[in-house]
Amino acid sequence: MKETLNNKVKAIAANIRRTREMLNYTQEYLAAKLKISQNAYSKIELGYTKITVERLFQIAAILEVDVHELIATEKTVAA
């Protein structure tokens, strides 16, 4: 179960990164919007940092997508 959960976290992180890259946003831009360091943001995209639901909603708002698009892991392959 833990491995499955880790795979889902990695898939969500990959969704965030892919969406950010599609919008041509930098990690620095998102970090500034979230009021965190670029290093801290990078750890989110790598799946090293567990994010809160509130942070997930903040990221979705900045990326202008529905949270569901970020958490849909059925088709996503974790990077």
Side-chain angles (χ1 to χ4, degrees):
M1 172 146 163
K2 186 172 184 175
E3 187 173 316
T4 302
L5 183 59
N6 284 339
N7 288 340
K8 288 187 179 193
V9 169
K10 296 278 187 189
I12 291 168
N15 287 344
I16 292 170
R17 179 179 182 173
R18 187 180 63 254
T19 305
R20 175 185 61 77
E21 289 175 343
M22 285 178 17
L23 294 168
N24 292 319
Y25 290 168
T26 64
Q27 287 187 348
E28 291 83 4
Y29 175 77
L30 257 76
K33 289 288 208 176
L34 294 168
K35 296 180 175 53
I36 60 175
S37 71
Q38 182 275 328
N39 189 44
Y41 180 78
S42 177
K43 289 178 181 179
I44 291 172
E45 282 193 3
L46 291 170
Y48 297 159
T49 300
K50 293 179 181 174
I51 59 173
T52 63
V53 173
E54 180 181 5
R55 178 72 78 201
L56 183 63
F57 275 93
Q58 290 171 339
I59 292 169
I62 294 165
L63 297 175
E64 298 179 357
V65 296
D66 188 81
V67 172
H68 182 266
E69 291 182 44
L70 299 179
I71 63 172
T73 60
E74 301 83 31
K75 299 176 189 172
T76 305
V77 177

